Short mmCIF file of all heavy atoms in Angstrom, two decimals:
data_model
loop_
_atom_site.label_atom_id
_atom_site.label_comp_id
_atom_site.label_asym_id
_atom_site.label_seq_id
_atom_site.Cartn_x
_atom_site.Cartn_y
_atom_site.Cartn_z
N ILE C 118 74.65 -89.88 -131.31
CA ILE C 118 74.51 -88.60 -130.66
C ILE C 118 75.91 -88.17 -130.42
O ILE C 118 76.66 -88.81 -129.94
CB ILE C 118 73.68 -88.81 -129.36
CG1 ILE C 118 72.25 -89.34 -129.59
CG2 ILE C 118 73.62 -87.41 -128.62
CD1 ILE C 118 71.55 -89.79 -128.40
N ASN C 119 76.14 -86.80 -130.88
CA ASN C 119 77.44 -86.19 -130.72
C ASN C 119 77.38 -84.84 -130.06
O ASN C 119 77.13 -83.84 -130.73
CB ASN C 119 78.11 -86.19 -132.12
CG ASN C 119 79.26 -85.30 -132.16
OD1 ASN C 119 79.44 -84.45 -132.97
ND2 ASN C 119 80.24 -85.58 -131.28
N PRO C 120 77.54 -84.79 -128.73
CA PRO C 120 77.55 -83.51 -128.06
C PRO C 120 79.03 -83.00 -128.05
O PRO C 120 79.92 -83.82 -127.99
CB PRO C 120 76.99 -83.82 -126.67
CG PRO C 120 77.41 -85.25 -126.44
CD PRO C 120 77.43 -85.87 -127.84
N ASP C 121 79.14 -81.65 -128.10
CA ASP C 121 80.54 -81.25 -127.97
C ASP C 121 80.59 -79.80 -127.45
O ASP C 121 79.58 -79.05 -127.72
CB ASP C 121 81.54 -81.39 -129.19
CG ASP C 121 81.40 -80.52 -130.34
OD1 ASP C 121 80.99 -79.33 -130.17
OD2 ASP C 121 81.71 -80.91 -131.55
N ILE C 122 81.56 -79.37 -126.89
CA ILE C 122 81.82 -78.06 -126.34
C ILE C 122 83.10 -77.53 -126.87
O ILE C 122 84.19 -78.23 -126.78
CB ILE C 122 81.87 -77.94 -124.74
CG1 ILE C 122 80.57 -78.53 -124.19
CG2 ILE C 122 82.18 -76.61 -124.26
CD1 ILE C 122 80.63 -78.75 -122.70
N SER C 123 83.17 -76.38 -127.40
CA SER C 123 84.43 -75.84 -128.04
C SER C 123 84.64 -74.38 -127.44
O SER C 123 83.71 -73.65 -127.46
CB SER C 123 84.22 -75.79 -129.47
OG SER C 123 85.54 -75.32 -130.11
N TYR C 124 85.85 -74.03 -127.07
CA TYR C 124 86.16 -72.76 -126.47
C TYR C 124 87.41 -72.19 -127.27
O TYR C 124 88.40 -72.82 -127.35
CB TYR C 124 86.47 -72.84 -125.02
CG TYR C 124 86.61 -71.51 -124.40
CD1 TYR C 124 85.50 -70.69 -124.26
CD2 TYR C 124 87.79 -70.99 -124.07
CE1 TYR C 124 85.56 -69.44 -123.72
CE2 TYR C 124 88.10 -69.76 -123.50
CZ TYR C 124 86.89 -68.97 -123.27
OH TYR C 124 86.94 -67.65 -122.78
N LYS C 125 87.25 -70.96 -127.75
CA LYS C 125 88.34 -70.21 -128.39
C LYS C 125 89.20 -69.55 -127.30
O LYS C 125 88.75 -68.70 -126.69
CB LYS C 125 87.88 -69.13 -129.42
CG LYS C 125 87.34 -69.83 -130.67
CD LYS C 125 86.84 -68.83 -131.62
CE LYS C 125 88.07 -68.12 -132.22
NZ LYS C 125 87.68 -67.16 -133.39
N LEU C 126 90.33 -70.19 -127.17
CA LEU C 126 91.27 -69.53 -126.12
C LEU C 126 91.88 -68.27 -126.57
O LEU C 126 92.25 -67.42 -125.85
CB LEU C 126 92.40 -70.51 -125.68
CG LEU C 126 91.84 -71.89 -125.13
CD1 LEU C 126 92.98 -72.87 -125.15
CD2 LEU C 126 91.35 -71.70 -123.74
N SER C 127 92.06 -68.16 -127.91
CA SER C 127 92.62 -66.97 -128.55
C SER C 127 92.14 -67.04 -130.03
O SER C 127 91.47 -67.99 -130.48
CB SER C 127 94.07 -66.90 -128.44
OG SER C 127 94.75 -67.96 -129.25
N ASP C 128 92.56 -66.10 -130.88
CA ASP C 128 92.09 -66.13 -132.30
C ASP C 128 92.82 -67.33 -132.90
O ASP C 128 92.23 -67.90 -133.93
CB ASP C 128 92.71 -64.89 -133.03
CG ASP C 128 91.86 -63.78 -132.72
OD1 ASP C 128 90.67 -63.91 -132.11
OD2 ASP C 128 92.12 -62.50 -132.91
N GLU C 129 93.89 -67.84 -132.42
CA GLU C 129 94.56 -68.98 -133.08
C GLU C 129 94.33 -70.26 -132.43
O GLU C 129 94.57 -71.34 -133.04
CB GLU C 129 96.12 -68.76 -133.06
CG GLU C 129 96.58 -67.63 -133.91
CD GLU C 129 96.49 -66.32 -133.00
OE1 GLU C 129 96.35 -66.35 -131.79
OE2 GLU C 129 96.57 -65.15 -133.71
N LEU C 130 94.04 -70.34 -131.16
CA LEU C 130 93.95 -71.51 -130.36
C LEU C 130 92.61 -71.88 -129.80
O LEU C 130 91.82 -70.95 -129.23
CB LEU C 130 94.89 -71.42 -129.11
CG LEU C 130 95.33 -72.58 -128.28
CD1 LEU C 130 96.01 -73.64 -129.23
CD2 LEU C 130 96.21 -72.27 -127.17
N SER C 131 92.01 -73.12 -130.01
CA SER C 131 90.84 -73.42 -129.47
C SER C 131 90.84 -74.92 -128.85
O SER C 131 91.80 -75.70 -129.27
CB SER C 131 89.73 -73.49 -130.58
OG SER C 131 90.05 -74.37 -131.56
N PHE C 132 89.90 -75.22 -128.06
CA PHE C 132 89.96 -76.46 -127.30
C PHE C 132 88.55 -77.00 -127.43
O PHE C 132 87.55 -76.25 -127.37
CB PHE C 132 90.17 -76.25 -125.84
CG PHE C 132 90.12 -77.52 -125.01
CD1 PHE C 132 91.16 -78.44 -125.05
CD2 PHE C 132 89.03 -77.71 -124.28
CE1 PHE C 132 90.98 -79.70 -124.46
CE2 PHE C 132 88.95 -78.95 -123.54
CZ PHE C 132 89.97 -79.85 -123.52
N THR C 133 88.49 -78.34 -127.84
CA THR C 133 87.09 -78.94 -127.87
C THR C 133 87.11 -80.27 -127.13
O THR C 133 88.07 -80.98 -127.07
CB THR C 133 86.90 -79.36 -129.46
OG1 THR C 133 86.90 -78.20 -130.33
CG2 THR C 133 85.45 -80.07 -129.62
N PHE C 134 85.95 -80.56 -126.41
CA PHE C 134 85.60 -81.77 -125.68
C PHE C 134 84.35 -82.25 -126.19
O PHE C 134 83.39 -81.46 -126.23
CB PHE C 134 85.56 -81.39 -124.25
CG PHE C 134 85.33 -82.57 -123.33
CD1 PHE C 134 86.30 -83.66 -123.09
CD2 PHE C 134 84.08 -82.74 -122.86
CE1 PHE C 134 85.94 -84.64 -122.38
CE2 PHE C 134 83.70 -83.84 -122.13
CZ PHE C 134 84.70 -84.84 -121.85
N GLY C 135 84.27 -83.57 -126.50
CA GLY C 135 83.03 -83.97 -127.00
C GLY C 135 82.92 -85.55 -126.87
O GLY C 135 83.76 -86.23 -126.20
N GLY C 136 81.84 -86.10 -127.47
CA GLY C 136 81.72 -87.51 -127.43
C GLY C 136 80.82 -88.08 -128.55
O GLY C 136 80.19 -87.29 -129.30
N ASN C 137 80.86 -89.34 -128.70
CA ASN C 137 80.05 -90.06 -129.72
C ASN C 137 79.32 -91.18 -128.92
O ASN C 137 80.05 -92.11 -128.34
CB ASN C 137 80.96 -90.59 -130.85
CG ASN C 137 81.50 -89.55 -131.70
OD1 ASN C 137 80.74 -88.71 -132.29
ND2 ASN C 137 82.81 -89.46 -131.70
N LEU C 138 78.05 -91.16 -128.98
CA LEU C 138 77.25 -92.24 -128.46
C LEU C 138 76.48 -92.99 -129.63
O LEU C 138 75.74 -92.36 -130.34
CB LEU C 138 76.18 -91.69 -127.45
CG LEU C 138 76.81 -90.81 -126.46
CD1 LEU C 138 75.77 -90.01 -125.61
CD2 LEU C 138 77.61 -91.59 -125.40
N PHE C 139 76.68 -94.32 -129.77
CA PHE C 139 76.17 -95.09 -130.74
C PHE C 139 75.14 -96.05 -130.18
O PHE C 139 75.30 -96.58 -129.04
CB PHE C 139 77.17 -95.90 -131.46
CG PHE C 139 78.30 -95.09 -132.08
CD1 PHE C 139 79.50 -94.86 -131.44
CD2 PHE C 139 78.18 -94.51 -133.37
CE1 PHE C 139 80.46 -94.15 -131.99
CE2 PHE C 139 79.13 -93.82 -133.90
CZ PHE C 139 80.33 -93.68 -133.30
N GLY C 140 74.03 -96.33 -130.91
CA GLY C 140 73.15 -97.43 -130.47
C GLY C 140 72.31 -97.93 -131.60
O GLY C 140 72.27 -97.27 -132.69
N GLY C 141 71.64 -99.12 -131.33
CA GLY C 141 70.87 -99.49 -132.35
C GLY C 141 70.20 -100.83 -131.90
O GLY C 141 70.61 -101.49 -131.07
#
Side-chain angles (χ1 to χ4, degrees):
I118 300 171
N119 169 233
D121 79 28
I122 299 170
S123 182
Y124 187 73
K125 286 180 75 172
L126 301 164
S127 68
D128 286 343
E129 298 85 15
L130 193 61
S131 64
F132 176 78
T133 302
F134 176 77
N137 293 298
L138 307 167
F139 301 97

